[in-house]
Amino acid sequence: MLALISKHSSLFLSMAAVIGFLFPALSSAALPYLPYVLFALMLFTLMGIDQRALVQAIFNLDAWGYACVHTIFTTVIICAFGFIFNADRDLLLAMTAVCATGSLFATPAIVRSVGFPPLKAMAFTITSTLLMPLVLYINMFLFSGEAFSLDLQSYTLRLVIFIIGPMAISYFIHQNVAHEKLSRVHTKLAQFTILLVFSFPFGLTGQFRWLWDEQRDFAIAMLILAFAICILFFIIGLVLYWRKGKDEAFVAAITSGNRNVLLTYSVAGAFLGPLYLPLIGALQLPIYMQPMIVKAMLKRDSKRAAKA
């Protein structure tokens, strides 16, 4: 059963977003537990990564260059569009918070499911996550207005819990548990990891459903905006990395489109303004549709190559 779920994970992730939308009360009930699920997912993912290879990849300047594209460059582009279309401050705050957000920790698994090696995606995910606190703080300072005030003690504590914590625990485990034993344990844990990922689209789309019921026109506008943001991020990654080869370009595009918006919410919470939760709820469907679209694109290209 788990093998079947993993094989069709792209479809099930999109279905989880739809189910969360259809049952908003259940989705909202799951929302408070998602930070705990996020912590477990980050830890389980890091436990399965070769630490030496990951450290080498992280210290590669290319990974940090990608992180700057993922967070800073996308912030500049989104701000430019926001000013052109005269977006209000709350919407700009929500959008730039999404820009600052690192990639999903499920991204390596998603990249692997599409058919690409996951190590580069993991390096991109780690560096964009490490850069996130700084870019997020700057974006909140710029777009929260004169009333901006951030409890740095709480902010730092959340960073330690949700980012540094899983990394430190994973490092400790790798240092003190034999590789063979850890590999056996992680093989079993990995079967359940995809089930944890399903909880994110399910638990976040309920916030969008409440907006849909109360302000239908505005909700539709937010959904269109969510699709536009995901498409823009995907195109940015694809175009900027195309010269490095199709494989790396698609890895960068998928990583850029996947955003760990729950981590940003866990770190900054109410400081992100009233539109952040509705926006990230709307983002769930386009985010988790991306693997299906990439698979379809690659399948079409392979058919064309076979005919040629």
Side-chain angles (χ1 to χ4, degrees):
M1 177 61 72
L2 288 174
L4 178 65
I5 292 173
S6 180
K7 181 179 179 181
H8 300 286
S9 58
S10 300
L11 175 60
F12 289 133
L13 284 167
S14 297
M15 288 176 60
V18 173
I19 293 171
F21 179 82
L22 294 176
F23 300 97
L26 291 176
S27 175
S28 296
L31 180 61
Y33 300 98
L34 292 185
Y36 305 105
V37 178
L38 173 69
F39 183 95
L41 177 64
M42 292 176 71
L43 178 59
F44 294 163
T45 303
L46 287 166
M47 283 173 57
I49 297 293
D50 183 330
Q51 300 291 290
R52 182 174 297 178
L54 180 59
V55 169
Q56 290 176 348
I58 289 174
F59 279 96
N60 188 321
L61 289 178
D62 182 57
W64 285 101
Y66 170 82
C68 291
V69 169
H70 186 100
T71 56
I72 300 171
F73 184 72
T74 57
T75 295
V76 172
I77 297 297
I78 286 293
C79 286
F81 279 110
F83 289 131
I84 289 172
F85 291 100
N86 198 29
D88 66 32
R89 189 179 292 273
D90 285 337
L91 184 57
L92 273 173
L93 175 60
M95 290 192 298
T96 54
V98 172
C99 292
T101 299
S103 186
L104 281 167
F105 262 73
T107 298
I110 293 172
V111 165
R112 185 190 291 113
S113 72
V114 175
F116 298 116
L119 184 59
K120 180 75 76 171
M122 192 69 218
F124 287 172
T125 299
I126 293 290
T127 53
S128 62
T129 301
L130 291 174
L131 191 58
M132 180 205 78
L134 175 62
V135 180
L136 178 62
Y137 184 88
I138 293 172
N139 289 355
M140 286 193 296
F141 178 80
L142 291 175
F143 297 105
S144 288
E146 297 178 359
F148 174 74
S149 103
L150 183 64
D151 184 345
L152 285 176
Q153 183 176 357
S154 174
Y155 183 73
T156 303
L157 180 62
R158 292 180 180 187
L159 289 177
V160 170
I161 292 172
F162 291 104
I163 298 178
I164 299 175
M167 292 180 179
I169 294 172
S170 173
Y171 178 78
F172 177 81
I173 291 172
H174 275 274
Q175 291 295 110
N176 292 278
V177 179
H179 177 74
E180 294 78 11
K181 185 176 181 179
L182 181 60
S183 180
R184 288 197 303 270
V185 171
H186 185 264
T187 298
K188 295 179 180 179
L189 288 175
Q191 296 176 352
F192 297 94
T193 300
I194 192 64
L195 298 179
L196 296 180
V197 180
F198 292 154
S199 63
F200 299 143
F202 173 75
L204 290 170
T205 48
Q207 301 300 310
F208 178 68
R209 173 61 185 272
W210 300 127
L211 181 64
W212 180 274
D213 290 341
E214 294 172 5
Q215 303 179 55
R216 183 68 53 85
D217 291 343
F218 184 59
I220 292 173
M222 290 289 278
L223 185 60
I224 294 172
L225 176 63
F227 270 94
I229 288 173
C230 281
I231 292 170
L232 176 63
F233 289 168
F234 187 90
I235 291 173
I236 287 174
L238 193 68
V239 170
L240 292 183
Y241 280 80
W242 190 258
R243 60 185 175 82
K244 297 191 175 185
K246 186 174 70 173
D247 286 7
E248 187 157 340
F250 273 109
V251 169
I254 294 170
T255 308
S256 182
N258 290 339
R259 298 276 164 158
N260 197 352
V261 289
L262 179 65
L263 177 60
T264 300
Y265 180 70
S266 299
V267 166
F271 300 114
L272 300 172
L275 295 182
Y276 184 73
L277 274 178
L279 177 60
I280 66 175
L283 278 166
Q284 297 310 298
L285 186 59
I287 283 177
Y288 291 108
M289 282 179 63
Q290 287 183 97
M292 290 192 299
I293 295 172
V294 172
K295 281 184 177 180
M297 292 170 63
L298 294 174
K299 188 176 181 180
R300 184 192 61 185
D301 287 347
S302 64
K303 285 183 178 179
R304 284 182 177 177
K307 288 180 181 179

